[in-house]
């Protein structure tokens, strides 16, 4: 009954092409179940056919279109033998065939957003980005001004103190040098002085 032919990524079972291997395997299982039922059920007795039909539906034996097609064949035989549509339970399809039914039922006006709303949202995003950039630039400028400033602050405090100390040290060395030269000229014996940096141990 089946022509199982898997070519490449296509999964073909019983004339149906499935999107994935799992669905194709379910279809193959349905084919096996159909063969088993056909071998055991007496097709000439409508009550036997009806029992098989109802049990297959109640126990959810079939999971693919191949199984549902077999149930439709049984249903057609039962109707031919005298049963009415109301005598037979319907075949449940536990899948949905319409993926976007709610979306398709919406009016075009609801689906298409007004252009003004998009523009407003875009303007809000752009304004927020520009404002953030301006704030970052202001913070950078503040840091640059604080670091270049002559007055002491938390950013340039260490640099300013080091510069002042270096200037004082240079000035003190120059004065000491001038005093030594003056003492030499006057012929005064200068006491031994420490020639290192001030503040060092």
């Amino acid at each position: 009954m089946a022509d199982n032919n898997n070519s490449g990524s296509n999964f073909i079972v019983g004339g149906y092409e499935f999107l994935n291997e799992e669905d194709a395997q379910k279809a193959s299982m349905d084919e096996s179940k159909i063969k088993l039922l056909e071998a055991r059920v007496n097709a000439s007795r409508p009550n036997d056919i009806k029992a098989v039909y109802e049990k297959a539906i109640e126990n959810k034996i079939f999971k693919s279109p191949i199984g549902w097609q077999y149930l439709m064949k049984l249903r057609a035989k039962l109707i031919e033998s005298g049963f009415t549509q109301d005598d037979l339970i319907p075949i449940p399809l536990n899948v949905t065939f319409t993926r976007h039914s709610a979306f398709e039922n919406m009016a075009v006006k609801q689906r298409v957003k007004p252009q003004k709303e998009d523009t407003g949202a875009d303007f809000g995003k752009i304004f927020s980005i520009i404002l953030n950039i301006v704030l970052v630039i202001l913070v950078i400028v503040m840091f640059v001004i604080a670091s270049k400033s002559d007055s002491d602050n938390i950013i340039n405090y260490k640099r300013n103190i080091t510069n002042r100390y270096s200037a004082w040290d240079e000035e003190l060395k120059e004065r000491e040098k001038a005093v030594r030269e003056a003492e030499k000229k006057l012929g005064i014996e200068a006491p031994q002085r420490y020639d290192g940096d001030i503040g060092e141990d």
Side-chain angles (χ1 to χ4, degrees):
M1 181 177 180
D3 55 328
N4 295 0
N5 176 25
N6 295 357
S7 57
S9 62
N10 298 329
F11 301 98
I12 301 169
V13 180
Y16 292 96
E17 183 177 352
F18 295 92
L19 293 176
N20 56 55
E21 187 176 1
E22 188 181 351
D23 289 344
Q25 285 174 351
K26 286 179 183 178
S28 293
M29 289 291 293
D30 281 359
E31 280 191 330
S32 302
K33 291 171 190 174
I34 290 165
K35 285 177 184 175
L36 188 66
L37 287 171
E38 284 179 340
R40 293 187 178 181
V41 175
N42 187 348
S44 62
R45 296 176 60 183
N47 285 333
D48 288 353
I49 297 171
K50 187 171 187 283
V52 169
Y53 174 82
E54 289 176 349
K55 282 289 178 189
I57 291 172
E58 285 168 12
N59 296 332
K60 298 177 181 176
I61 290 174
F62 298 115
K63 312 278 186 190
S64 76
I66 290 174
W68 305 330
Q69 182 180 343
Y70 176 69
L71 289 174
M72 281 303 296
K73 278 173 65 179
L74 294 181
R75 188 180 180 88
K77 281 184 184 178
L78 290 170
I79 289 170
E80 282 175 16
S81 65
F83 288 99
T84 64
Q85 295 281 2
D86 294 335
D87 294 332
L88 305 172
I89 58 175
I91 301 166
L93 300 179
N94 299 317
V95 293
T96 179
F97 294 101
T98 308
R99 293 182 183 177
H100 304 290
S101 58
F103 183 75
E104 288 168 359
N105 290 336
M106 287 171 63
V108 176
K109 205 172 191 179
Q110 289 174 308
R111 280 187 280 174
V112 179
K113 290 184 179 179
Q115 191 65 29
K116 287 182 182 178
E117 287 181 15
D118 291 343
T119 307
D122 290 345
F123 176 76
K125 287 179 184 175
I126 292 168
F127 180 75
S128 174
I129 291 167
I130 290 170
L131 187 63
N132 286 335
I133 291 169
V134 169
L135 287 172
V136 168
I137 291 169
L138 284 174
V139 169
I140 291 169
V141 168
M142 285 171 60
F143 273 101
V144 169
I145 290 170
S147 67
K148 300 278 184 186
S149 174
D150 290 336
S151 60
D152 294 340
N153 57 53
I154 196 164
I155 295 170
N156 65 5
Y157 181 77
K158 184 178 178 182
R159 191 191 69 208
N160 285 354
I161 294 295
T162 305
N163 289 346
R164 282 184 200 146
Y165 174 78
S166 297
W168 291 338
D169 191 38
E170 279 299 318
E171 187 179 344
L172 191 59
K173 283 181 181 175
E174 284 175 10
R175 285 186 182 181
E176 193 175 333
K177 188 178 176 185
V179 168
R180 283 183 185 170
E181 286 175 1
E183 285 174 346
K184 271 186 184 178
K185 284 180 184 176
L186 295 172
I188 300 171
E189 179 92 15
Q192 190 68 27
R193 288 184 175 87
Y194 175 71
D195 201 23
D197 289 340
I198 293 172
E200 290 183 2
D201 292 333

